Amino acid sequence: MTRPTMPAAVITAPGQVEVQELPEPHPGPGQVRIRVHGTGVCGTDLHLLHGHFGARFPLVPGHEISGWVDEVGPGVLNVKEGDLVALDPNLWCGQCHYCQRGLFQHCEHHEALGVTLPGGFARYTVCPATNVYPAQGLTADQASFAEPLGCVAWGMKRLRPPPGASALLFGAGAIGQLLMQGLLASGCARVTVVDPVQDRLDLARELGASEVLQPHADLKTELLDRHPYGFDVTAEATGVPAVVQGLPELTAVGGQVLVFGVAPEEAQVSLSPYLLFQRDLSVLGSFALNQTVPLALDWLRAGRVKVEPLITHRLPLARVGEALNMKAHPGLAGAQKVLMTPGEETAPPPL
Ligand SMILES: [Zn+2]
Ligand SMILES: [Zn+2]
């Protein structure tokens, strides 16, 4: 008897990705198997493709996963076969210095689906039951945003914007659109959004931005003309060091600067310590997500964060190369969120 197999997109070496038939995985004790509905393509997948982030090959990427539980191992308490679930892809040990202080995303024995373990660019994936969250009341598409929106939720728990705050956000890609909505759902009254791409700005408007602008040489002057006291919160979802460097000057006295984008590891910026001191500024970083999937799902259920308009492409596994290329050149493809949809390629197997 041959073992059943499933299609999966596999990075085999830096820059090389192909669809392979892999043995179907099964859950061990405390684990569940997910029949993947959709997995969002993220900048992290692109980094992994190029061998960054300590990637070990072969690797099935994809960490923004939703799907249906279709097999449960012994000892699983929170879900049953057939449940729609959202995943937190980060596995933590619960025993190390950081885990014992509740900073699970900094676990010293960190593993993650789609990063160090097989992820969601496959028909099935297996993970601990601790990492799945029932997603009743949501669509499977919505549930696939649990991870990136969970990162936004962690950022908001770090930031805790004051009620009625004015915010300035650079970057209106998919994560920027989520961050903007997260700011509004967390008490900001107005968000000004800056991005070079007009389509993205139009979408930001639709999703609640109070003001949108394209960057230009005198952008700082224009922003300070319109907002002479600066913004209570300034944030970026660009990972561009020069953008981070410009934030403190646009931040109001007593305000907060949120560094949310992923800048290159070696990048440096210059900040005026006097400005931080004299204006009573707080500069905050926010890394990944930390038990914030429930908040993300609540925002989605309440309609406070809308994600459907962000899905610009749905691609089968066979087009994984194209999907990653869109992530590399989002401007060309007009891509916001690209979903790999292994669940749409085959009729669901009988439970
Ligand atoms: Zn991601
Ligand atoms: Zn740990």
Side-chain angles (χ1 to χ4, degrees):
M1 200 180 98
T2 54
R3 283 180 73 187
T5 62
M6 64 165 186
V10 183
I11 303 175
T12 54
Q16 287 179 37
V17 63
E18 62 187 40
V19 177
Q20 295 182 355
E21 284 291 322
L22 299 182
E24 283 186 4
H26 293 283
Q31 293 184 326
V32 299
R33 183 170 86 167
I34 311 299
R35 178 164 57 79
V36 176
H37 160 75
T39 302
V41 180
C42 169
T44 298
D45 300 309
L46 204 58
H47 279 289
L48 292 168
L49 175 67
H50 295 302
H52 310 153
F53 294 171
R56 298 187 303 255
F57 302 134
L59 173 70
V60 178
H63 59 273
E64 301 181 0
I65 307 164
S66 72
W68 291 272
V69 174
D70 84 335
E71 201 180 327
V72 297
V76 171
L77 307 170
N78 58 338
V79 290
K80 59 183 189 312
E81 286 179 32
D83 285 355
L84 176 65
V85 289
L87 268 69
D88 180 342
N90 297 291
L91 276 61
W92 58 92
C93 74
Q95 301 172 30
C96 73
H97 177 89
Y98 295 114
C99 284
Q100 292 197 324
R101 283 157 182 79
L103 293 167
F104 295 100
Q105 80 278 39
H106 295 280
C107 176
E108 293 177 82
H109 309 283
H110 173 262
E111 303 270 353
L113 263 61
V115 181
T116 62
L117 300 170
F121 289 4
R123 183 178 297 160
Y124 298 110
T125 193
V126 163
C127 72
T130 47
N131 289 68
V132 299
Y133 293 81
Q136 75 278 21
L138 297 177
T139 66
D141 278 358
Q142 285 176 314
S144 70
F145 283 80
E147 191 271 346
L149 192 54
C151 294
V152 168
W154 176 243
M156 292 306 100
K157 285 197 160 183
R158 299 264 302 133
L159 188 71
R160 299 193 178 274
S166 62
L168 170 65
L169 169 66
F170 284 83
I175 195 77
Q177 305 278 356
L178 297 178
L179 182 54
M180 180 197 69
Q181 296 180 79
L183 287 163
L184 290 168
S186 304
C188 290
R190 298 180 304 283
V191 183
T192 297
V193 177
V194 179
D195 191 282
V197 181
Q198 187 59 45
D199 286 353
R200 293 175 171 195
L201 294 179
D202 294 342
L203 181 58
R205 268 296 226 183
E206 254 173 64
L207 295 175
S210 50
E211 181 183 37
V212 297
L213 290 102
Q214 285 179 318
H216 56 80
D218 293 321
L219 178 67
K220 192 176 93 181
T221 312
E222 183 178 354
L223 285 168
L224 291 176
D225 278 349
R226 294 192 193 191
H227 305 265
Y229 291 99
F231 297 84
D232 301 316
V233 170
T234 58
E236 59 79 41
T238 64
V240 176
V243 170
V244 175
Q245 180 161 312
L247 295 180
E249 288 181 280
L250 294 162
T251 309
V253 167
Q256 298 167 292
V257 177
L258 177 66
V259 180
F260 194 81
V262 187
E265 238 177 290
E266 66 286 359
Q268 302 284 325
V269 297
S270 92
L271 297 176
S272 157
Y274 181 79
L275 189 78
L276 302 184
F277 153 77
Q278 191 268 337
R279 289 207 194 167
D280 277 320
L281 299 185
S282 306
V283 179
L284 287 172
S286 168
F287 175 66
L289 68 166
N290 184 14
Q291 319 296 344
T292 43
V293 167
L295 174 51
L297 298 182
D298 283 342
W299 279 340
L300 291 168
R301 284 193 189 100
R304 299 301 304 273
V305 174
K306 295 190 169 54
V307 293
E308 288 88 348
L310 304 185
I311 304 172
T312 51
H313 298 78
R314 323 173 69 86
L315 296 180
L317 290 178
R319 292 172 69 184
V320 61
E322 201 181 323
L324 290 166
N325 198 45
M326 279 183 194
K327 191 70 210 169
H329 307 101
L332 289 181
Q336 282 272 353
K337 185 54 83 179
V338 179
L339 268 195
M340 300 305 298
T341 53
E344 290 173 7
E345 286 166 58
T346 48
L351 288 175

